[in-house]
Amino acid sequence: MSTYVYGITARSHTAVPDGTTGVGEPPEPIRILTEGELAAIVSDSPEGLRPKRRDLLAHQNVLAQAEASGCVLPMRFGSVAPDDASVTGVLAERAEHYLERLRALDGKVEYNIKATHVEEAVLHHVMATNAEVRSLAEANRKAGGGSYEQKLQLGEMVASAVKAQEGEDAVAVQQALEPLAAAVSVGPESTGWLANVSFLVARDSAQEFLAAVEELRSSHPHLEVRANGPLPPYSFVEPGPAGHAEQAGQPEAAAQD
């Protein structure tokens, strides 16, 4: 039976309420594996695990229960090791790393910020701020719309300006929020988002961080800015002691019903 890993914590902070269960149908009982100063919160891993809503919520609930007694390094949904010995072996091998992470992440949460352009608004922004684009558009207007070549030239110029604006806005998003974060993790590029950045934020500074997000929205009305959090600090833990089960997702991702 393979071992499903929910998180890593200090050996002195392993209090999980009796009867706590995790993923699976029926839900698997939670167990604690210890090695040196560390402990791993685990259960048996059910076969055919998929990111269904029930199991995603079970994963999150285990972490929430464990966090009540101390800092936990959260593993992403679907983190599975071959067996218990594999988990404790990695705890021993990476003890210094995990202990450092526990100290660094204590009292902190993750906010994931994604930003994209509002199409009509960014076109107005480009026209207002790019004199070259504005001049050509005005010339075409006076010429009754312009020739096919002139229209094509304007379209290419606008597309280029919008692309450049994406780069500027991605930098602006990070620069606006980074001063309020203890650490920053830039996520993988994804279709439709010009920025995908995770920020490590002290719990007692969360309202200040969210206020800065609102200020960013106000100062950049051509941006759609989405804030997801507070989350366990998944982006600031790797590497974990287990691989990901095939087709497994992340707890903050959309679940299958």
Side-chain angles (χ1 to χ4, degrees), residues 42-185:
V42 306
S43 69
D44 290 344
S45 181
E47 294 184 3
L49 182 66
R50 296 292 182 269
K52 295 183 179 180
R53 184 174 302 278
R54 177 189 64 237
D55 288 324
L56 291 167
L57 293 176
H59 181 102
Q60 290 178 301
N61 180 63
V62 171
L63 290 174
Q65 296 281 2
E67 286 171 351
S69 62
C71 181
V72 178
L73 305 182
M75 298 296 107
R76 295 184 185 276
F77 179 87
S79 294
V80 177
D83 50 37
D84 288 2
S86 298
V87 177
T88 55
V90 174
L91 292 185
E93 178 184 347
R94 300 176 181 167
E96 184 176 346
H97 167 75
Y98 291 138
L99 290 169
E100 182 279 328
R101 288 289 80 198
L102 284 167
R103 290 190 293 270
L105 301 184
D106 191 22
K108 298 181 178 67
V109 293
E110 176 176 334
Y111 282 90
N112 176 255
I113 305 296
K114 289 184 172 70
T116 189
H117 278 153
V118 179
E119 185 174 357
E120 185 174 349
V122 75
L123 291 177
H124 283 299
H125 179 78
V126 165
M127 292 295 292
T129 58
N130 190 308
E132 189 175 5
V133 170
R134 190 167 62 251
S135 177
L136 182 57
E138 179 63 16
N140 284 3
R141 187 188 66 78
K142 290 181 178 179
S147 65
Y148 171 79
E149 289 76 14
Q150 289 170 324
K151 291 177 181 178
L152 182 61
Q153 180 186 7
L154 178 60
E156 291 175 343
M157 189 178 293
V158 169
S160 178
V162 169
K163 186 66 177 178
Q165 189 66 47
E166 286 184 356
E168 292 180 17
D169 288 333
V171 172
V173 168
Q174 186 164 334
Q175 287 183 339
L177 302 177
E178 190 169 11
L180 299 171
V184 176
S185 176

